[in-house]
Amino acid sequence: MSEFKALLVSETADGSFQRQVTQRRLSDLADGELLIRVRYSSLNYKDALSASGNRGVTKQYPHTPGIDAGGVVEASSVGEFAVGDEVIVTGYDLGMNTAGGFGQYIRVPAAWAIKRPQGLSLREAMLLGTAGLTAALCVDKLERAGVAPQDGLVLVTGATGGVGSVAVMLLKKLGYRVAAATGKADQADFLRSLGADEIVTREELQQGVERPLLKERWAAAVDTVGGDILFNVVKSLRHSGSVACCGLTAGVAFQASVLPFILRGVNLLGVDSVELPLVVKASMWDKLSLQWKLDLEPLAQEVALEALPTAIEQILAGGMVGRVVVRLD
């Protein structure tokens, strides 16, 4: 097949951006050691930014977003992968400036791909995607910092989103008591169904921004939103508590004070899932396929490629709940 379907984002003459599913050719793809027929992808906030013309994510258009891809190797120039191997690609430059998983084919360096763990189907892997991988990395980093279930309540901000919802489920599976924070009051029952023990409103987390310290409340936290909410979480950690930070939907800046760090000994842990060494990603995927495996169907929305423009508008408007897996057959 020399042609395939893909979502193409193009800049118009007036500087706006349009999204349409169209035919592309294999010759449009960049060079790479692996040609992969994509079976499933997933929709992330970064994909929506790329699909909106955000130059901080994607520099040149026309472009096909999709930072996640699960598929089958159709051509390989390296010995590590053979035709027919099922593989997962997440992060690195996929979907940013390299044509991504919202096309039926991608061509990438072999160093970006891992073979599908036996405990996960391609669909299950893409239900996790970058969001699930990031959630797992956050929980892993908290545990490496010494957090344990007996320490107390663990907060998850942005809990209805992709990272947040997986984090709630994973923490509950591991025996933690979980407080889920959200700005979507109508999703409280959904969050409880995932395992949340308490529901915290966004307004509650925004109180006390002007204060250098807040009442000790959380043993640990997974923060997916950033901004002043992140620092309010830091100010509310119990002594020696930790927060894993991985998102910025509430902003990239916050009003900071050293007091929580020097009076309570708390830890602010940064989490990146994009440029991690492949061996670290592979180890975490193995964990997600075995002892940390989750039933993600309660989170799942499945859409065809043609429905992606509507789903992108929904995630940009803050209306997305759970995980969207994209079917590319």
Side-chain angles (χ1 to χ4, degrees):
M1 177 189 290
S2 61
E3 291 193 346
F4 62 94
K5 287 193 301 182
L7 179 74
L8 193 66
V9 182
S10 303
E11 188 170 9
T12 63
D14 64 1
S16 62
F17 290 83
Q18 64 180 14
R19 301 181 282 268
Q20 62 178 345
V21 176
T22 186
Q23 293 291 121
R24 304 219 73 191
R25 301 183 66 85
L26 293 180
S27 58
D28 295 329
L29 298 175
D31 293 337
E33 295 148 327
L34 300 179
L35 177 67
I36 299 167
R37 171 66 163 94
V38 181
R39 299 298 183 189
Y40 292 97
S41 183
S42 69
L43 177 59
N44 302 277
Y45 187 65
K46 186 182 284 188
D47 300 318
L49 293 177
S50 174
S52 304
N54 186 305
R55 302 285 184 181
V57 178
T58 299
K59 295 180 174 59
Q60 293 188 342
Y61 293 85
H63 174 66
T64 296
I67 62 173
D68 295 333
V72 181
V73 174
E74 292 221 348
S76 171
S77 62
V78 295
E80 299 96 312
F81 294 93
V83 172
D85 284 348
E86 293 191 348
V87 295
I88 300 168
V89 184
T90 63
Y92 304 114
D93 194 50
L94 185 72
M96 296 179 67
N97 297 291
T98 300
F102 294 167
Q104 290 179 318
Y105 282 86
I106 58 173
R107 189 180 283 123
V108 297
W112 292 2
I114 66 167
K115 292 183 181 179
R116 175 185 60 81
Q118 289 188 355
L120 290 173
S121 67
L122 288 175
R123 184 178 184 277
E124 288 173 326
M126 289 299 98
L127 269 176
L128 287 163
T130 289
L133 179 64
T134 302
L137 289 165
C138 286
V139 174
D140 181 69
K141 204 153 195 177
L142 289 176
E143 293 201 326
R144 289 176 184 272
V147 177
Q150 63 268 24
D151 292 340
L153 202 58
V154 178
L155 176 70
V156 178
T157 66
T160 61
V163 178
S165 55
V166 176
V168 170
M169 294 182 73
L170 182 55
L171 286 163
K172 192 64 177 180
K173 178 182 178 71
L174 297 177
Y176 291 88
R177 292 182 60 245
V178 183
T182 181
K184 300 181 177 71
D186 60 336
Q187 296 299 323
D189 288 344
F190 167 73
L191 290 170
R192 288 192 181 94
S193 75
L194 301 184
D197 298 283
E198 294 185 17
I199 307 298
V200 181
T201 67
R202 179 187 299 161
E203 291 73 22
E204 186 178 346
L205 287 186
Q206 290 172 326
Q207 295 172 5
V209 170
E210 72 287 351
R211 297 172 59 188
L213 282 172
L214 297 172
K215 181 180 178 181
E216 294 183 42
R217 188 171 183 185
W218 319 114
V222 173
D223 177 70
T224 74
V225 299
D228 284 328
I229 286 177
L230 168 61
F231 200 58
N232 268 5
V233 172
V234 171
K235 291 184 286 187
S236 304
L237 289 172
R238 294 181 182 177
H239 195 282
S240 303
S242 298
V243 53
C245 165
C246 64
L248 47 69
T249 56
V252 297
F254 55 76
Q255 298 295 319
S257 162
V258 299
L259 291 183
F261 301 100
I262 63 176
L263 296 182
R264 293 180 181 166
V266 302
N267 304 299
L268 177 55
L269 309 172
V271 175
D272 164 57
S273 63
V274 177
E275 295 294 340
L276 279 177
L278 195 65
V279 64
V280 179
K281 288 189 181 183
S283 173
M284 195 56 59
W285 278 112
D286 284 342
K287 211 167 188 177
L288 285 164
S289 72
L290 297 168
Q291 64 265 44
W292 283 12
K293 185 169 183 180
L294 300 168
D295 176 10
L296 295 171
E297 287 304 322
L299 301 181
Q301 300 180 51
E302 184 173 310
V303 301
L305 188 59
E306 288 75 11
L308 257 181
T310 300
I312 288 168
E313 290 297 334
Q314 187 179 2
I315 198 171
L316 287 170
M320 191 64 69
V321 173
R323 293 287 291 144
V324 175
V325 63
V326 184
R327 188 181 68 254
L328 285 107
D329 289 339

